[in-house]
């Protein structure tokens, strides 16, 4: 057994991302324990382990893991690293308990948004950031569907590296992920937040409209507004190693996607907004758009499309319309 295989990895949260990470890491020989708030999830993981299916390749992976209900004092003191995989809207609630349950253990935020690390740093001594680039859908309390192996970027918060960063990168590489190590993870996090703006039209627009000009133009214009806002605010949004498309490149990619045949979803793997609308749960994506709106207001940059898309997302959530409920032109143009 290699030193990496002896590492004990705690995963707080058994949503889609947590399950993918858990399956892959456990399959790579790491000792994985989930900390969950659902008794159903804890029982399912303890009884049957965790399962991942890739409908693209036909891969089916099962792995053993353990699960603990809640976060008790010192519950994870023997862990090598903690992966925080709860929704961003839950970070402030769970952060104090993490500081108590995992004393002196580095905690990595495997989450969207740009605020989680700062919130967590108030309660733990060492915070890492992780950018997760893989769409995945939880289909059972202990099962998830995804495509391929995915890409992750890791780094110390707000910048720098360290042995714990290198060790976590090694864990993810052993699990088959495409891994980047960032000297300034906040820049990668801002880039990912902008990319996540496109998740809203992906979830809201009916599938047959994913091959329309209105659909791809909505996504491109959301990014253009974000690019202008971040430039005015002096915020860098970039890839640590150039392997993730820049905002300029992503805008061009979206506008070319119709001709390239890449604008439509090909397989039944859905993002977190889609799943939240289906299950009538809280939708964290509204906060991505609000960040852009607030920065735009502060720096005098108009963001009308982000405002309209946010309004339509809130309507779908509040009225229980579910995912894939709108035409593409309803997002691109008000009215």
């Amino acid at each position: 057994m290699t030193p990496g295989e002896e590492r004990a990895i705690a995963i707080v949260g058994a949503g889609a991302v947590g399950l993918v990470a858990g399956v892959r890491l456990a399959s790579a020989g790491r000792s994985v324990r989930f900390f969950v708030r659902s008794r159903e999830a804890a029982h399912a993981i303890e009884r049957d382990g965790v399962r991942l299916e890739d409908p693209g390749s036909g891969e089916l992976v099962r792995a053993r893991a353990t699960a603990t209900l809640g976060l008790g004092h010192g519950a994870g003191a023997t862990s090598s690293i903690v992966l925080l995989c709860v929704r961003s809207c839950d970070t402030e609630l769970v952060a104090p308990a993490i500081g108590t349950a995992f004393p002196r253990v580095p905690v990595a935020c495997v989450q969207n948004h740009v605020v989680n690390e700062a919130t967590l740093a108030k309660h733990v001594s060492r915070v890492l950031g992780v950018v997760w680039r893989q769409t995945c859908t939880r289909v059972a309390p202990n099962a998830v569907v995804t495509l391929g192996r995915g890409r992750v970027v890791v780094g110390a918060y707000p910048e720098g590296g360290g042995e714990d960063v290198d060790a976590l990168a090694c864990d993810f590489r052993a699990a088959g992920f495409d891994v980047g190590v960032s000297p300034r993870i906040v820049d990668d996090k801002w880039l990912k937040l902008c990319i996540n703006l496109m998740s809203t039209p992906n979830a809201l627009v009916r599938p047959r409209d994913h091959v329309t000009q209105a659909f791809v133009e909505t996504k491109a214009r959301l990014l253009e507004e974000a690019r202008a806002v971040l430039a005015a605010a002096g915020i860098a949004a970039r890839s640590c190693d150039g392997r993730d498309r820049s905002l300029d490149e992503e805008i061009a990619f979206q506008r070319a996607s119709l001709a390239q045949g890449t604008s439509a979803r090909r397989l039944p793997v859905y993002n977190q907004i889609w799943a939240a609308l289906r299950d009538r749960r809280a939708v964290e994506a509204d906060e991505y758009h609000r960040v852009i709106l607030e920065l735009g207001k502060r720096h005098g940059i108009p963001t009308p499309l982000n405002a309209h898309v946010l309004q339509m997302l809130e309507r779908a959530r509040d009225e229980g319309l579910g995912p894939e409920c709108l035409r593409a032109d309803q997002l691109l143009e008000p009215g």
Side-chain angles (χ1 to χ4, degrees):
M1 179 176 287
T2 68
E5 290 176 321
E6 296 171 358
R7 281 167 58 81
I9 298 177
I11 300 179
V12 178
V17 169
L19 287 171
V20 173
V23 171
R24 294 299 191 192
L25 290 165
S27 297
R30 275 49 174 179
S31 173
V32 173
R33 175 175 290 275
F34 286 90
F35 291 81
V36 299
R37 62 183 179 183
S38 162
R39 192 175 300 276
E40 180 186 14
H43 286 170
I45 293 169
E46 282 284 324
R47 183 183 65 245
D48 302 322
V50 284
R51 186 179 81 248
L52 178 150
E53 181 180 356
D54 182 341
S57 67
E59 181 186 25
L60 178 63
V61 183
R62 291 185 173 90
R64 298 306 307 176
T66 56
T68 297
L69 187 63
L71 289 167
H73 178 75
T78 60
S79 301
S80 305
I81 186 86
V82 180
L83 305 185
L84 179 58
C85 298
V86 302
R87 296 174 303 171
S88 295
C89 55
D90 294 328
T91 300
E92 192 164 355
L93 178 65
V94 76
I98 288 177
T100 301
F102 302 98
R104 297 176 297 280
V105 179
V107 181
C109 292
V110 191
Q111 300 167 284
N112 293 317
H113 216 320
V114 293
V115 299
N116 298 294
E117 288 82 1
T119 300
L120 193 60
K122 299 174 185 176
H123 303 278
V124 303
S125 58
R126 177 66 167 169
V127 178
L128 280 58
V130 177
V131 172
W132 183 274
R133 285 179 168 266
Q134 184 176 33
T135 301
C136 42
T137 310
R138 189 176 71 163
V139 294
N142 64 332
V144 66
V145 174
T146 192
L147 297 172
R149 289 298 181 116
R151 171 162 164 81
V152 297
V153 180
V154 302
Y157 173 81
E159 59 186 7
E163 292 183 2
D164 47 8
V165 172
D166 294 338
L168 182 56
C170 181
D171 291 329
F172 279 127
R173 287 193 187 100
F177 290 93
D178 174 4
V179 181
V181 177
S182 177
R184 187 170 165 78
I185 194 66
V186 292
D187 294 354
D188 296 89
K189 286 273 184 172
W190 273 107
L191 177 60
K192 183 57 163 48
L193 181 141
C194 293
I195 298 303
N196 283 341
L197 297 172
M198 298 187 294
S199 296
T200 305
N202 285 341
L204 283 178
V205 172
R206 60 190 185 183
R208 63 178 177 270
D209 279 12
H210 285 209
V211 291
T212 64
Q213 189 64 42
F215 178 68
V216 299
E217 190 63 21
T218 296
K219 296 200 288 185
R221 291 189 193 178
L222 287 172
L223 295 183
E224 286 178 332
E225 288 184 359
R227 180 180 61 184
V229 164
L230 296 190
I235 295 173
R238 57 194 171 198
S239 170
C240 66
D241 55 11
R243 298 190 59 201
D244 302 307
R245 287 189 290 267
S246 68
L247 287 179
D248 290 346
E249 291 167 338
E250 188 65 46
I251 291 166
F253 176 84
Q254 292 302 322
R255 288 202 164 111
S257 63
L258 280 182
Q260 295 172 349
T262 57
S263 65
R265 182 187 300 116
R266 300 299 183 188
L267 292 166
V269 179
Y270 306 97
N271 64 36
Q272 293 180 10
I273 305 172
W274 190 99
L277 291 171
R278 176 198 61 188
D279 299 337
R280 299 193 175 189
R281 294 186 282 105
V283 179
E284 71 173 18
D286 55 356
E287 293 301 323
Y288 312 153
H289 296 285
R290 285 197 180 92
V291 167
I292 300 303
L293 295 179
E294 290 168 4
L295 284 173
K297 182 178 180 180
R298 189 182 309 166
H299 295 280
I301 304 297
T303 54
L305 187 56
N306 272 276
H308 176 61
V309 168
L310 173 59
Q311 182 182 42
M312 299 301 282
L313 175 61
E314 291 175 333
R315 175 191 165 196
R317 178 199 63 200
D318 296 343
E319 297 181 11
L321 301 179
E324 301 174 352
C325 59
L326 299 176
R327 303 187 314 272
D329 61 351
Q330 289 177 283
L331 278 190
L332 183 60
E333 300 294 344

